[in-house]
Amino acid sequence: MLRTRITTTAAAALAAALLLSACTGDGEEPPPQETATEAEQDETGPDPDETDPDETEPGEDEQTDEVENGGGPGTEPADQADLPGQAVDLYTGGETVDVVGVAHDDVLYVRELPDPTSPEVTALAPLTSDVVLTGRARQLDDMAVWLELDVEDRVGWANLRYLAYLGMVTDETSQISDPGPQDSMADLAAAVVEDLQEDGAPDLDMTVAEDVQEGDLTTIVVDVQGYADDSINGHRLHIFASDEGGDGYRLVSVEATQICTRGATEQGCL
Protein backbone atom coordinates (compact mmCIF):
# COMPACT_ATOMS: atom_id res chain seq x y z
CA MET A 1 0.00 0.00 0.00
CA LEU A 2 1.31 3.45 -0.89
CA ARG A 3 -0.81 5.45 1.49
CA THR A 4 2.03 5.92 3.99
CA ARG A 5 4.41 7.11 1.29
CA ILE A 6 2.87 10.20 -0.31
CA THR A 7 2.42 13.67 1.20
CA THR A 8 0.09 16.60 0.69
CA THR A 9 3.05 18.72 -0.36
CA ALA A 10 3.95 16.15 -2.99
CA ALA A 11 0.42 16.16 -4.40
CA ALA A 12 0.56 19.90 -4.93
CA ALA A 13 3.98 19.55 -6.52
CA LEU A 14 2.61 16.94 -8.91
CA ALA A 15 -0.13 19.21 -10.18
CA ALA A 16 2.43 21.92 -10.91
CA ALA A 17 4.87 19.47 -12.45
CA LEU A 18 2.22 18.02 -14.76
CA LEU A 19 1.23 21.49 -16.01
CA LEU A 20 4.82 22.67 -16.50
CA SER A 21 6.58 19.53 -17.67
CA ALA A 22 6.03 20.25 -21.35
CA CYS A 23 7.82 23.59 -20.94
CA THR A 24 10.95 22.27 -19.28
CA GLY A 25 14.08 21.94 -21.29
CA ASP A 26 16.89 21.09 -18.96
CA GLY A 27 16.71 18.31 -16.45
CA GLU A 28 18.53 17.73 -13.26
CA GLU A 29 21.76 16.68 -11.61
CA PRO A 30 21.23 16.90 -7.82
CA PRO A 31 22.78 14.63 -5.27
CA PRO A 32 20.28 12.19 -3.78
CA GLN A 33 17.42 13.76 -1.80
CA GLU A 34 18.37 17.33 -2.70
CA THR A 35 16.31 19.93 -4.46
CA ALA A 36 17.03 21.22 -7.94
CA THR A 37 20.32 23.07 -8.36
CA GLU A 38 22.33 24.48 -11.22
CA ALA A 39 24.19 21.17 -11.38
CA GLU A 40 20.99 19.54 -12.62
CA GLN A 41 21.22 21.54 -15.81
CA ASP A 42 24.32 19.55 -16.76
CA GLU A 43 22.83 16.11 -16.10
CA THR A 44 19.68 15.99 -18.19
CA GLY A 45 19.16 17.60 -21.55
CA PRO A 46 16.90 19.83 -23.61
CA ASP A 47 13.65 18.77 -25.20
CA PRO A 48 14.68 16.86 -28.35
CA ASP A 49 11.66 18.34 -30.16
CA GLU A 50 13.09 21.83 -29.64
CA THR A 51 16.41 20.96 -31.24
CA ASP A 52 16.80 21.99 -34.90
CA PRO A 53 18.10 18.90 -36.72
CA ASP A 54 19.75 21.14 -39.31
CA GLU A 55 21.77 23.03 -36.72
CA THR A 56 25.28 21.73 -36.00
CA GLU A 57 27.11 22.75 -32.87
CA PRO A 58 30.79 23.71 -33.21
CA GLY A 59 32.87 20.56 -33.33
CA GLU A 60 29.87 18.28 -33.83
CA ASP A 61 31.11 16.98 -37.18
CA GLU A 62 34.47 16.15 -35.65
CA GLN A 63 32.80 14.35 -32.74
CA THR A 64 30.61 12.34 -35.14
CA ASP A 65 33.71 11.32 -37.11
CA GLU A 66 35.40 10.21 -33.89
CA VAL A 67 32.45 8.02 -32.96
CA GLU A 68 32.22 6.47 -36.42
CA ASN A 69 35.96 5.75 -36.39
CA GLY A 70 35.93 4.21 -32.90
CA GLY A 71 37.18 7.27 -31.01
CA GLY A 72 35.67 9.89 -28.74
CA PRO A 73 34.34 9.77 -25.18
CA GLY A 74 33.33 6.38 -23.88
CA THR A 75 35.40 4.30 -26.25
CA GLU A 76 37.39 2.89 -23.34
CA PRO A 77 36.62 2.84 -19.59
CA ALA A 78 38.19 5.72 -17.70
CA ASP A 79 41.35 4.96 -15.74
CA GLN A 80 40.74 4.40 -12.06
CA ALA A 81 43.21 7.17 -11.20
CA ASP A 82 41.14 9.70 -13.18
CA LEU A 83 37.90 9.03 -11.30
CA PRO A 84 36.78 11.55 -8.66
CA GLY A 85 35.40 10.52 -5.28
CA GLN A 86 35.58 7.17 -3.53
CA ALA A 87 34.86 3.69 -4.87
CA VAL A 88 31.55 2.12 -3.81
CA ASP A 89 31.46 -1.67 -3.81
CA LEU A 90 27.71 -2.33 -3.97
CA TYR A 91 26.95 -3.14 -7.60
CA THR A 92 27.65 -6.19 -9.76
CA GLY A 93 28.76 -5.99 -13.36
CA GLY A 94 26.19 -7.34 -15.81
CA GLU A 95 23.18 -6.34 -13.72
CA THR A 96 20.65 -4.06 -15.40
CA VAL A 97 18.82 -0.97 -14.17
CA ASP A 98 16.13 1.33 -15.54
CA VAL A 99 16.02 5.10 -16.01
CA VAL A 100 13.72 6.78 -13.47
CA GLY A 101 12.84 10.33 -12.50
CA VAL A 102 13.56 11.84 -15.93
CA ALA A 103 10.80 13.98 -17.43
CA HIS A 104 9.08 12.76 -20.59
CA ASP A 105 10.51 15.69 -22.59
CA ASP A 106 14.04 15.33 -21.23
CA VAL A 107 17.01 12.92 -21.45
CA LEU A 108 19.59 11.47 -19.07
CA TYR A 109 23.17 12.17 -20.13
CA VAL A 110 25.76 9.44 -19.76
CA ARG A 111 29.17 11.08 -19.27
CA GLU A 112 32.80 10.12 -19.69
CA LEU A 113 33.52 10.59 -15.97
CA PRO A 114 31.29 10.76 -12.86
CA ASP A 115 31.09 14.52 -13.13
CA PRO A 116 28.21 16.68 -14.44
CA THR A 117 30.67 18.75 -16.48
CA SER A 118 32.36 15.76 -18.13
CA PRO A 119 31.90 15.20 -21.90
CA GLU A 120 28.75 13.40 -22.96
CA VAL A 121 29.02 9.81 -24.17
CA THR A 122 25.35 9.33 -25.04
CA ALA A 123 21.86 10.18 -23.80
CA LEU A 124 19.12 7.89 -22.48
CA ALA A 125 15.42 8.55 -22.97
CA PRO A 126 12.94 8.45 -20.08
CA LEU A 127 11.66 4.94 -19.37
CA THR A 128 14.81 3.37 -20.89
CA SER A 129 15.16 -0.13 -19.45
CA ASP A 130 17.84 -2.81 -19.13
CA VAL A 131 20.83 -0.49 -18.91
CA VAL A 132 23.88 -2.65 -18.15
CA LEU A 133 26.12 -1.92 -15.16
CA THR A 134 29.87 -2.51 -15.32
CA GLY A 135 30.07 -2.88 -11.54
CA ARG A 136 32.06 0.30 -10.88
CA ALA A 137 30.50 3.06 -8.76
CA ARG A 138 31.81 6.27 -7.17
CA GLN A 139 30.57 8.46 -4.35
CA LEU A 140 31.51 12.12 -4.78
CA ASP A 141 32.17 14.75 -2.14
CA ASP A 142 28.57 15.96 -2.42
CA MET A 143 27.46 12.38 -1.50
CA ALA A 144 26.01 11.75 -4.96
CA VAL A 145 26.64 8.22 -6.22
CA TRP A 146 27.42 7.64 -9.91
CA LEU A 147 27.31 4.28 -11.70
CA GLU A 148 29.37 3.22 -14.69
CA LEU A 149 27.22 1.95 -17.58
CA ASP A 150 27.82 -0.07 -20.72
CA VAL A 151 25.53 1.44 -23.36
CA GLU A 152 25.71 0.22 -26.94
CA ASP A 153 29.40 -0.71 -26.67
CA ARG A 154 30.33 2.60 -25.09
CA VAL A 155 31.12 3.18 -21.42
CA GLY A 156 30.08 6.16 -19.33
CA TRP A 157 28.70 7.34 -16.01
CA ALA A 158 25.29 8.51 -14.78
CA ASN A 159 23.91 9.66 -11.45
CA LEU A 160 22.23 6.96 -9.35
CA ARG A 161 19.44 9.49 -8.69
CA TYR A 162 18.14 8.63 -12.18
CA LEU A 163 18.78 4.87 -12.15
CA ALA A 164 17.00 2.12 -10.24
CA TYR A 165 15.81 -1.45 -10.20
CA LEU A 166 12.09 -1.76 -10.89
CA GLY A 167 10.40 -4.19 -8.55
CA MET A 168 6.99 -5.62 -7.80
CA VAL A 169 3.88 -4.26 -9.53
CA THR A 170 0.68 -3.90 -7.50
CA ASP A 171 -2.84 -2.76 -8.30
CA GLU A 172 -3.63 0.17 -6.00
CA THR A 173 -7.08 0.93 -7.43
CA SER A 174 -8.94 -0.40 -4.40
CA GLN A 175 -6.93 1.90 -2.12
CA ILE A 176 -8.20 5.03 -3.85
CA SER A 177 -11.51 6.75 -3.26
CA ASP A 178 -13.29 7.63 -6.50
CA PRO A 179 -12.22 11.23 -7.23
CA GLY A 180 -15.03 11.70 -9.75
CA PRO A 181 -14.59 13.16 -13.22
CA GLN A 182 -11.62 15.51 -13.63
CA ASP A 183 -11.04 18.17 -16.26
CA SER A 184 -7.60 16.85 -17.21
CA MET A 185 -5.28 13.93 -16.61
CA ALA A 186 -3.15 16.32 -14.59
CA ASP A 187 -6.05 16.92 -12.23
CA LEU A 188 -6.81 13.21 -12.03
CA ALA A 189 -3.19 12.32 -11.25
CA ALA A 190 -3.09 14.99 -8.53
CA ALA A 191 -6.27 13.56 -7.02
CA VAL A 192 -4.81 10.03 -7.04
CA VAL A 193 -1.62 11.13 -5.28
CA GLU A 194 -3.54 13.18 -2.74
CA ASP A 195 -5.77 10.23 -1.90
CA LEU A 196 -2.76 7.95 -1.37
CA GLN A 197 -1.01 10.45 0.86
CA GLU A 198 -0.56 10.42 4.62
CA ASP A 199 0.49 13.35 6.78
CA GLY A 200 3.98 13.20 8.25
CA ALA A 201 5.73 11.47 5.36
CA PRO A 202 8.72 13.24 3.76
CA ASP A 203 8.31 15.57 0.81
CA LEU A 204 8.61 13.70 -2.47
CA ASP A 205 9.91 14.43 -5.95
CA MET A 206 7.35 14.09 -8.74
CA THR A 207 8.18 13.54 -12.41
CA VAL A 208 5.90 12.94 -15.38
CA ALA A 209 7.89 10.10 -16.95
CA GLU A 210 5.39 9.56 -19.77
CA ASP A 211 2.96 12.23 -20.92
CA VAL A 212 -0.73 11.64 -21.62
CA GLN A 213 -1.34 8.79 -24.09
CA GLU A 214 -4.71 8.43 -25.81
CA GLY A 215 -6.18 5.05 -26.71
CA ASP A 216 -9.00 2.81 -25.53
CA LEU A 217 -8.02 4.25 -22.16
CA THR A 218 -6.08 7.44 -21.48
CA THR A 219 -2.89 6.99 -19.48
CA ILE A 220 -0.17 8.96 -17.75
CA VAL A 221 2.96 7.73 -15.93
CA VAL A 222 4.36 9.51 -12.90
CA ASP A 223 7.55 8.68 -10.97
CA VAL A 224 7.21 9.44 -7.25
CA GLN A 225 10.58 9.41 -5.43
CA GLY A 226 12.16 10.38 -2.14
CA TYR A 227 10.89 7.82 0.37
CA ALA A 228 12.74 7.72 3.68
CA ASP A 229 13.73 4.12 3.02
CA ASP A 230 17.10 2.75 1.90
CA SER A 231 15.42 -0.06 -0.03
CA ILE A 232 12.36 1.48 -1.73
CA ASN A 233 13.10 4.90 -3.22
CA GLY A 234 9.58 5.41 -4.58
CA HIS A 235 6.93 4.14 -6.99
CA ARG A 236 6.12 4.53 -10.66
CA LEU A 237 2.37 5.17 -10.93
CA HIS A 238 0.65 4.13 -14.15
CA ILE A 239 -2.76 5.81 -14.12
CA PHE A 240 -5.55 4.67 -16.47
CA ALA A 241 -8.68 6.74 -17.13
CA SER A 242 -11.72 6.91 -19.39
CA ASP A 243 -13.46 9.96 -20.85
CA GLU A 244 -16.29 8.11 -22.59
CA GLY A 245 -18.99 10.07 -20.80
CA GLY A 246 -17.70 13.38 -22.09
CA ASP A 247 -17.83 14.91 -18.62
CA GLY A 248 -14.15 14.51 -17.79
CA TYR A 249 -11.54 11.86 -17.06
CA ARG A 250 -12.75 9.11 -14.73
CA LEU A 251 -10.29 6.86 -12.93
CA VAL A 252 -10.23 3.26 -14.12
CA SER A 253 -7.15 1.83 -12.39
CA VAL A 254 -3.75 2.60 -10.89
CA GLU A 255 -0.71 0.32 -11.10
CA ALA A 256 2.28 0.99 -8.85
CA THR A 257 5.77 -0.34 -9.61
CA GLN A 258 8.39 -0.26 -6.88
CA ILE A 259 11.48 1.88 -7.56
CA CYS A 260 14.22 -0.05 -5.74
CA THR A 261 17.65 1.19 -4.71
CA ARG A 262 19.63 -1.98 -3.97
CA GLY A 263 17.96 -4.56 -6.21
CA ALA A 264 14.64 -6.29 -6.76
CA THR A 265 13.05 -9.74 -6.90
CA GLU A 266 9.56 -10.94 -7.69
CA GLN A 267 8.75 -10.40 -4.01
CA GLY A 268 9.86 -6.78 -3.99
CA CYS A 269 12.86 -4.58 -3.27
CA LEU A 270 15.95 -6.00 -1.55
Side-chain angles (χ1 to χ4, degrees):
M1 182 183 298
L2 308 185
R3 192 173 298 277
T4 60
R5 301 286 188 179
I6 302 180
T7 68
T8 303
T9 302
L14 174 62
L18 290 167
L19 293 175
L20 295 177
S21 61
C23 299
T24 59
D26 291 338
E28 53 286 312
E29 160 47 6
Q33 299 181 357
E34 290 189 3
T35 56
T37 66
E38 290 183 0
E40 291 182 340
Q41 307 301 321
D42 298 317
E43 182 56 22
T44 56
D47 185 346
D49 294 336
E50 295 179 359
T51 303
D52 186 344
D54 295 326
E55 290 184 358
T56 301
E57 295 295 330
E60 185 176 326
D61 289 338
E62 291 82 351
Q63 183 175 0
T64 301
D65 290 340
E66 284 184 338
V67 172
E68 291 177 349
N69 294 324
T75 304
E76 298 291 339
D79 291 339
Q80 193 76 8
D82 294 334
L83 299 177
Q86 301 295 320
V88 178
D89 188 19
L90 293 176
Y91 301 91
T92 302
E95 290 184 339
T96 60
V97 292
D98 292 13
V99 173
V100 297
V102 175
H104 67 92
D105 56 355
D106 211 337
V107 296
L108 173 62
Y109 285 131
V110 178
R111 298 185 179 276
E112 186 175 24
L113 297 173
D115 180 338
T117 65
S118 182
E120 300 160 17
V121 173
T122 188
L124 301 176
L127 304 184
T128 297
S129 61
D130 297 328
V131 182
V132 179
L133 302 179
T134 69
R136 292 205 296 178
R138 306 291 290 190
Q139 185 173 50
L140 306 187
D141 292 342
D142 61 6
M143 303 307 291
V145 174
W146 288 61
L147 305 183
E148 188 179 50
L149 312 175
D150 186 343
V151 183
E152 297 178 353
D153 297 325
R154 303 188 78 80
V155 179
W157 296 77
N159 195 319
L160 176 62
R161 166 66 177 78
Y162 307 102
L163 299 167
Y165 304 88
L166 294 186
M168 183 171 55
V169 180
T170 57
D171 187 336
E172 296 295 320
T173 311
S174 64
Q175 305 299 322
I176 302 168
S177 301
D178 184 4
Q182 302 292 317
D183 291 338
S184 69
M185 287 297 289
D187 293 339
L188 181 61
V192 168
V193 173
E194 183 176 6
D195 192 74
L196 290 171
Q197 76 185 11
E198 182 170 287
D199 293 339
D203 292 349
L204 301 175
D205 296 323
M206 302 285 188
T207 307
V208 180
E210 182 178 72
D211 202 7
V212 176
Q213 302 292 312
E214 300 286 352
D216 293 339
L217 294 175
T218 304
T219 67
I220 192 169
V221 178
V222 179
D223 284 349
V224 181
Q225 295 175 270
Y227 294 174
D229 190 308
D230 63 357
S231 176
I232 304 176
N233 178 255
H235 279 86
R236 173 168 287 171
L237 301 181
H238 199 162
I239 300 171
F240 299 81
S242 172
D243 62 349
E244 289 182 357
D247 58 347
Y249 292 95
R250 291 183 175 274
L251 181 66
V252 173
S253 64
V254 177
E255 292 179 355
T257 303
Q258 292 175 329
I259 297 176
C260 306
T261 304
R262 299 194 302 252
T265 67
E266 293 180 356
Q267 287 71 42
C269 297
L270 299 178

